Amino acid sequence: MEISVNEQSTSQHTTPIRVAVLISGSGSNLQALIDAVESQQLPGVELALVISNKANAYGLQRALQHKIPAIYLPWKKREEAEANISSLLKLFQADLIVLAGFLRILSADFISQFPQRIINLHPALLPDNGADTYTTSNGTTIPALRGLHVVKQAIDEGLKYTGSTVHYVIPVVDAGPVIARSEVAIQPDDTEETLQERIKEYEHRLIVDAVRFYQEQKSKEAVQR
Ligand code: GRF
């Protein structure tokens, strides 16, 4: 329905950025980024590393098929897992960390190591101000759904609209400044599966827009320096 990116850049200079993608499953959003990079839609963006906390995540295969380093890191103890992820992100010199279907909550300590450098894709509409409701572009107010299973929740609550949001990660779960969002209408016959698939179609553009936005911000900063 609607795709909006919060701010458009007029910068001509493009700063190269290295992106790490954290996944737990299918990785269709990772694939959208791979396709965008390979088709020159994200000039200067390099997918440096993919990390999964699940050994059988299909996204790892997607990465390997495109010769992107792909690493399985089990998540047993959070402190240990985060220390390993942090070392890898530094080793691979990741500028931006994209959580694309990564089903683990990162600690405040971890997040503070990468300020304004972690973004998350959340399959529901989140407001700009951390409020409990979101008002759609046609004026409908809906609850801001946070946490897991929000696609099912949108159907169970009989909402007419849901969508997806990309936001910076802060220590509060599914909050943080919004970069971009898409609104998606819920059809009367939607199931969790059909709605999830339709949301993903929007997300595949949204995540590319969000990475471009981040790069444009970096580019502006570089010019100002
Ligand atoms: C997406 O819908 C994302 O919003 C949510 O998990 C899903 C990941 O899908 N956090 P995929 O693994 O990229 O296909």
Side-chain angles (χ1 to χ4, degrees):
M1 196 176 139
E2 177 221 42
I3 292 199
S4 60
V5 175
N6 265 355
E7 204 182 322
Q8 295 296 327
S9 168
T10 51
S11 169
Q12 297 299 308
H13 169 85
T14 303
T15 297
I17 58 165
R18 293 171 61 77
V19 177
V21 185
L22 272 55
I23 59 162
S24 299
S26 150
S28 69
N29 284 286
L30 165 67
Q31 187 68 52
L33 289 171
I34 294 172
D35 293 345
V37 167
E38 292 189 350
S39 61
Q40 314 294 327
Q41 290 174 58
L42 289 174
V45 172
E46 183 176 348
L47 296 174
L49 173 67
V50 172
I51 298 175
S52 170
N53 67 311
K54 296 275 179 203
N56 59 355
Y58 182 59
L60 288 173
Q61 301 301 321
R62 296 183 194 267
L64 289 172
Q65 279 159 17
H66 293 267
K67 303 198 166 29
I68 300 166
I71 296 169
Y72 157 55
L73 264 183
W75 188 282
K76 287 187 186 132
K77 285 196 196 133
R78 176 164 45 189
E79 266 182 25
E80 207 176 295
E82 288 186 338
N84 287 332
I85 295 175
S86 172
S87 301
L88 282 169
L89 293 172
K90 287 168 187 164
L91 182 67
F92 281 81
Q93 299 179 321
D95 299 297
L96 173 66
I97 299 133
V98 178
L99 310 183
F102 183 66
L103 300 177
R104 286 290 176 270
I105 292 172
L106 296 165
S107 69
D109 276 354
F110 179 91
I111 294 166
S112 69
Q113 292 177 53
F114 306 97
Q116 294 281 99
R117 288 167 56 197
I118 311 177
I119 64 174
N120 180 47
L121 182 60
H122 179 70
L125 292 167
L126 299 173
D128 285 328
N129 52 8
D132 289 338
T133 58
Y134 171 83
T135 302
T136 64
S137 50
N138 71 4
T140 309
T141 297
I142 57 172
L145 304 178
R146 298 187 169 90
L148 294 172
H149 313 301
V150 289
V151 177
K152 180 172 185 300
Q153 211 182 326
I155 293 179
D156 290 349
E157 293 199 16
L159 304 185
K160 298 251 180 321
Y161 300 98
T162 186
S164 186
T165 306
V166 184
H167 62 94
Y168 286 104
V169 172
I170 61 170
V172 181
V173 175
D174 298 330
V178 171
I179 297 172
R181 58 170 88 78
S182 299
E183 295 180 2
V184 178
I186 301 178
Q187 305 302 331
D189 58 350
D190 261 329
T191 62
E192 183 182 358
E193 288 70 30
T194 59
L195 182 56
Q196 173 73 75
E197 280 316 301
R198 209 159 62 257
I199 290 173
K200 281 193 187 188
E201 285 171 24
Y202 286 84
E203 288 186 321
H204 296 162
R205 274 182 282 158
L206 199 62
I207 196 67
V208 172
D209 285 346
V211 169
R212 187 179 294 115
F213 170 82
Y214 179 88
Q215 185 188 29
E216 286 173 353
Q217 295 308 301
K218 285 275 129 200
S219 303
K220 276 189 201 168
E221 284 167 26
V223 168
Q224 281 161 11
R225 243 182 265 133

